[in-house]
Amino acid sequence: QLCEINVRNIKRIEVIKGPASAMYSSNAIGGIDNIITNDPTPEPQFDIWGEYVEYEQYRTRILGSKAGEKFSFNFDVNYANARNWRDNSSYEKGAGSLKLQYAPTDVSLLGFNLDYITFDHDLAGSLEKADFDTDWQHSYHTFANSTLDKITPTLIYNHYFDSSEFKAVFAVRDMDHEVIPNYGIYYKSWPPPPTNYYVGRLNQIDVL
Protein backbone atom coordinates (compact mmCIF):
# COMPACT_ATOMS: atom_id res chain seq x y z
CA GLN A 1 0.00 0.00 0.00
CA LEU A 2 1.25 3.48 -0.85
CA CYS A 3 0.52 4.72 2.67
CA GLU A 4 3.36 2.46 3.90
CA ILE A 5 5.93 3.93 1.48
CA ASN A 6 7.88 7.17 1.24
CA VAL A 7 6.60 7.75 -2.30
CA ARG A 8 8.85 10.74 -3.00
CA ASN A 9 11.97 8.63 -2.43
CA ILE A 10 11.10 6.10 -5.17
CA LYS A 11 13.57 5.86 -8.04
CA ARG A 12 11.74 3.20 -10.06
CA ILE A 13 9.36 0.25 -9.64
CA GLU A 14 10.12 -3.17 -11.09
CA VAL A 15 7.26 -5.61 -11.66
CA ILE A 16 8.59 -9.18 -11.41
CA LYS A 17 6.27 -11.98 -12.49
CA GLY A 18 6.60 -15.73 -12.22
CA PRO A 19 8.77 -17.99 -10.06
CA ALA A 20 11.78 -15.64 -10.13
CA SER A 21 9.97 -13.55 -7.51
CA ALA A 22 10.31 -16.42 -4.99
CA MET A 23 13.78 -15.09 -4.08
CA TYR A 24 12.05 -12.28 -2.15
CA SER A 25 9.87 -14.42 0.12
CA SER A 26 7.87 -17.64 0.27
CA ASN A 27 4.65 -15.69 -0.34
CA ALA A 28 5.81 -14.03 -3.58
CA ILE A 29 5.86 -16.97 -6.00
CA GLY A 30 3.30 -15.36 -8.32
CA GLY A 31 4.89 -11.93 -8.62
CA ILE A 32 6.14 -8.90 -6.74
CA ASP A 33 6.50 -5.13 -7.08
CA ASN A 34 10.14 -4.32 -6.29
CA ILE A 35 10.48 -0.67 -5.24
CA ILE A 36 13.94 0.83 -5.84
CA THR A 37 14.73 3.93 -3.77
CA ASN A 38 17.03 6.82 -4.68
CA ASP A 39 20.80 6.35 -4.41
CA PRO A 40 23.34 8.98 -3.33
CA THR A 41 24.08 11.41 -6.17
CA PRO A 42 27.64 12.01 -7.51
CA GLU A 43 27.20 15.77 -7.11
CA PRO A 44 26.20 17.28 -3.74
CA GLN A 45 22.46 17.94 -3.57
CA PHE A 46 20.33 19.80 -1.04
CA ASP A 47 16.79 21.03 -1.58
CA ILE A 48 13.90 22.47 0.46
CA TRP A 49 10.46 22.60 -1.10
CA GLY A 50 6.94 23.43 0.04
CA GLU A 51 3.49 24.41 -1.19
CA TYR A 52 0.13 25.55 0.19
CA VAL A 53 -3.16 25.22 -1.71
CA GLU A 54 -6.90 25.48 -1.02
CA TYR A 55 -8.70 23.47 1.68
CA GLU A 56 -5.70 24.00 3.98
CA GLN A 57 -3.51 21.54 2.12
CA TYR A 58 0.23 21.95 2.48
CA ARG A 59 3.27 19.83 1.75
CA THR A 60 6.95 20.24 2.45
CA ARG A 61 10.09 18.28 1.67
CA ILE A 62 13.79 18.38 2.61
CA LEU A 63 16.35 16.20 0.85
CA GLY A 64 20.11 15.88 0.61
CA SER A 65 22.52 13.54 -1.14
CA LYS A 66 26.24 13.05 -1.82
CA ALA A 67 28.29 10.10 -3.07
CA GLY A 68 31.92 10.02 -1.96
CA GLU A 69 34.84 7.69 -2.57
CA LYS A 70 34.30 5.82 0.69
CA PHE A 71 31.19 7.26 2.34
CA SER A 72 27.87 8.21 0.70
CA PHE A 73 24.50 9.31 2.00
CA ASN A 74 20.99 10.16 0.89
CA PHE A 75 18.11 11.45 3.04
CA ASP A 76 14.55 12.51 2.26
CA VAL A 77 12.05 13.91 4.78
CA ASN A 78 8.57 15.05 3.75
CA TYR A 79 5.29 15.98 5.41
CA ALA A 80 1.75 16.49 4.09
CA ASN A 81 -1.37 17.77 5.86
CA ALA A 82 -4.80 18.47 4.41
CA ARG A 83 -8.23 19.33 5.78
CA ASN A 84 -9.68 18.29 2.38
CA TRP A 85 -12.87 19.49 0.75
CA ARG A 86 -15.28 17.40 2.87
CA ASP A 87 -15.82 17.48 6.61
CA ASN A 88 -14.27 14.59 8.55
CA SER A 89 -11.82 13.71 5.77
CA SER A 90 -8.53 15.12 7.04
CA TYR A 91 -5.21 13.63 6.00
CA GLU A 92 -1.76 13.73 7.60
CA LYS A 93 1.38 11.86 6.59
CA GLY A 94 5.03 12.14 7.54
CA ALA A 95 7.79 10.11 5.91
CA GLY A 96 11.56 9.93 6.26
CA SER A 97 14.22 7.86 4.51
CA LEU A 98 17.93 7.61 5.24
CA LYS A 99 20.49 5.68 3.19
CA LEU A 100 24.12 5.38 4.31
CA GLN A 101 26.78 3.55 2.30
CA TYR A 102 30.41 2.72 3.13
CA ALA A 103 32.87 1.05 0.75
CA PRO A 104 35.61 -0.67 2.82
CA THR A 105 37.24 -2.03 -0.37
CA ASP A 106 36.88 -1.57 -4.12
CA VAL A 107 34.74 -4.71 -4.40
CA SER A 108 32.52 -4.45 -1.31
CA LEU A 109 29.81 -2.11 -0.07
CA LEU A 110 28.14 -1.90 3.33
CA GLY A 111 24.82 -0.09 3.56
CA PHE A 112 22.31 0.95 6.19
CA ASN A 113 18.76 2.09 5.33
CA LEU A 114 16.17 3.51 7.71
CA ASP A 115 12.58 4.25 6.71
CA TYR A 116 9.89 5.77 8.91
CA ILE A 117 6.21 6.39 8.10
CA THR A 118 3.43 7.93 10.19
CA PHE A 119 -0.06 8.23 8.74
CA ASP A 120 -3.49 9.40 9.92
CA HIS A 121 -6.47 9.56 7.56
CA ASP A 122 -10.20 10.11 8.15
CA LEU A 123 -12.80 8.92 5.65
CA ALA A 124 -15.99 11.00 5.50
CA GLY A 125 -19.31 9.40 6.35
CA SER A 126 -22.67 9.41 4.60
CA LEU A 127 -24.88 12.37 3.74
CA GLU A 128 -28.58 12.49 2.98
CA LYS A 129 -29.75 14.07 -0.28
CA ALA A 130 -31.43 17.06 1.34
CA ASP A 131 -28.26 18.01 3.21
CA PHE A 132 -26.15 17.29 0.12
CA ASP A 133 -28.17 19.81 -1.88
CA THR A 134 -27.65 22.39 0.87
CA ASP A 135 -23.96 21.74 1.61
CA TRP A 136 -22.31 19.00 -0.45
CA GLN A 137 -19.06 19.33 1.51
CA HIS A 138 -20.72 18.41 4.79
CA SER A 139 -20.41 15.03 6.52
CA TYR A 140 -22.28 13.76 9.57
CA HIS A 141 -19.41 11.77 11.00
CA THR A 142 -16.15 10.01 10.29
CA PHE A 143 -16.84 6.77 8.42
CA ALA A 144 -13.47 5.25 9.33
CA ASN A 145 -10.09 6.31 10.65
CA SER A 146 -6.83 4.73 9.49
CA THR A 147 -3.55 5.21 11.37
CA LEU A 148 -0.11 3.78 10.69
CA ASP A 149 3.30 3.96 12.38
CA LYS A 150 6.09 1.97 10.79
CA ILE A 151 9.87 1.90 11.07
CA THR A 152 12.11 -0.34 8.96
CA PRO A 153 15.89 -0.53 9.58
CA THR A 154 17.85 -2.53 7.00
CA LEU A 155 21.49 -3.64 6.89
CA ILE A 156 22.92 -4.60 3.47
CA TYR A 157 26.27 -6.07 2.43
CA ASN A 158 27.37 -6.41 -1.21
CA HIS A 159 30.49 -8.14 -2.54
CA TYR A 160 31.20 -7.89 -6.26
CA PHE A 161 33.02 -10.54 -8.27
CA ASP A 162 34.09 -10.42 -11.91
CA SER A 163 30.81 -11.77 -13.27
CA SER A 164 28.56 -12.11 -10.21
CA GLU A 165 27.50 -10.48 -6.97
CA PHE A 166 26.92 -11.67 -3.41
CA LYS A 167 24.28 -9.77 -1.43
CA ALA A 168 23.14 -10.24 2.17
CA VAL A 169 20.20 -8.32 3.66
CA PHE A 170 18.98 -8.15 7.25
CA ALA A 171 15.78 -6.15 7.79
CA VAL A 172 13.33 -5.58 10.64
CA ARG A 173 9.85 -4.07 10.27
CA ASP A 174 8.00 -2.69 13.29
CA MET A 175 4.47 -1.63 12.28
CA ASP A 176 1.31 -0.62 14.11
CA HIS A 177 -1.70 -0.21 11.78
CA GLU A 178 -5.31 0.41 12.82
CA VAL A 179 -8.51 0.90 10.87
CA ILE A 180 -11.45 1.88 13.12
CA PRO A 181 -13.90 0.52 12.24
CA ASN A 182 -13.35 -1.79 9.28
CA TYR A 183 -16.63 -2.37 7.41
CA GLY A 184 -17.75 -5.49 5.60
CA ILE A 185 -20.82 -6.58 3.63
CA TYR A 186 -22.18 -10.07 4.33
CA TYR A 187 -24.91 -12.27 2.88
CA LYS A 188 -26.87 -14.43 5.30
CA SER A 189 -28.78 -17.34 3.79
CA TRP A 190 -29.78 -19.30 6.91
CA PRO A 191 -32.16 -19.17 8.63
CA PRO A 192 -34.45 -17.84 5.90
CA PRO A 193 -35.21 -15.38 4.52
CA PRO A 194 -31.80 -14.49 2.97
CA THR A 195 -30.63 -11.02 4.02
CA ASN A 196 -27.74 -8.61 3.44
CA TYR A 197 -26.24 -6.90 6.47
CA TYR A 198 -23.29 -4.69 7.39
CA VAL A 199 -20.71 -5.27 10.10
CA GLY A 200 -18.19 -2.79 11.53
CA ARG A 201 -15.23 -4.00 13.57
CA LEU A 202 -11.79 -2.95 14.76
CA ASN A 203 -9.01 -4.04 12.43
CA GLN A 204 -5.58 -3.81 14.06
CA ILE A 205 -2.22 -5.02 12.76
CA ASP A 206 0.86 -5.03 15.00
CA VAL A 207 3.89 -6.57 13.31
CA LEU A 208 7.53 -6.90 14.29
Side-chain angles (χ1 to χ4, degrees):
Q1 302 181 18
L2 291 180
C3 68
E4 299 182 24
I5 303 172
N6 185 1
V7 179
R8 296 189 174 274
N9 196 42
I10 295 176
K11 180 180 180 180
R12 68 180 186 274
I13 299 177
E14 298 176 348
V15 179
I16 304 174
K17 299 180 180 180
S21 63
M23 63 181 293
Y24 291 91
S25 74
S26 60
N27 296 324
I29 58 174
I32 191 172
D33 294 333
N34 186 25
I35 299 176
I36 310 298
T37 57
N38 292 323
D39 290 319
T41 56
E43 298 296 328
Q45 180 182 10
F46 181 78
D47 186 37
I48 300 178
W49 168 86
E51 70 173 8
Y52 182 87
V53 296
E54 61 180 347
Y55 303 119
E56 300 178 14
Q57 300 181 60
Y58 61 89
R59 297 184 296 174
T60 184
R61 183 189 186 191
I62 303 175
L63 63 90
S65 183
K66 177 65 174 71
E69 183 177 349
K70 288 288 187 179
F71 178 77
S72 304
F73 71 90
N74 180 84
F75 70 88
D76 186 307
V77 179
N78 58 83
Y79 176 79
N81 190 306
R83 179 179 61 84
N84 286 332
W85 59 272
R86 288 199 66 190
D87 296 339
N88 302 309
S89 64
S90 61
Y91 171 92
E92 183 178 17
K93 180 178 180 180
S97 299
L98 174 66
K99 179 178 288 187
L100 303 176
Q101 295 179 342
Y102 174 70
T105 67
D106 294 338
V107 295
S108 60
L109 183 65
L110 183 64
F112 174 76
N113 299 343
L114 182 65
D115 293 286
Y116 176 73
I117 299 289
T118 181
F119 178 83
D120 192 334
H121 186 201
D122 287 334
L123 299 177
S126 60
L127 190 63
E128 295 181 357
K129 184 180 185 303
D131 291 328
F132 176 84
D133 294 337
T134 303
D135 183 5
W136 58 276
Q137 294 179 318
H138 181 58
S139 172
Y140 298 138
H141 55 82
T142 299
F143 181 74
N145 172 258
S146 177
T147 61
L148 170 72
D149 285 290
K150 186 182 79 166
I151 185 169
T152 309
T154 306
L155 188 63
I156 306 170
Y157 176 75
N158 295 77
H159 192 92
Y160 304 95
F161 301 95
D162 292 337
S163 58
S164 61
E165 173 189 356
F166 170 79
K167 184 175 184 178
V169 178
F170 176 77
V172 177
R173 183 181 68 165
D174 186 4
M175 181 177 72
D176 185 10
H177 186 199
E178 291 184 351
V179 180
I180 308 173
N182 180 31
Y183 292 92
I185 302 176
Y186 296 86
Y187 177 76
K188 180 181 177 182
S189 60
W190 187 263
T195 57
N196 294 323
Y197 64 99
Y198 299 86
V199 172
R201 64 182 182 275
L202 169 66
N203 184 22
Q204 181 175 1
I205 301 174
D206 193 358
V207 178
L208 177 59

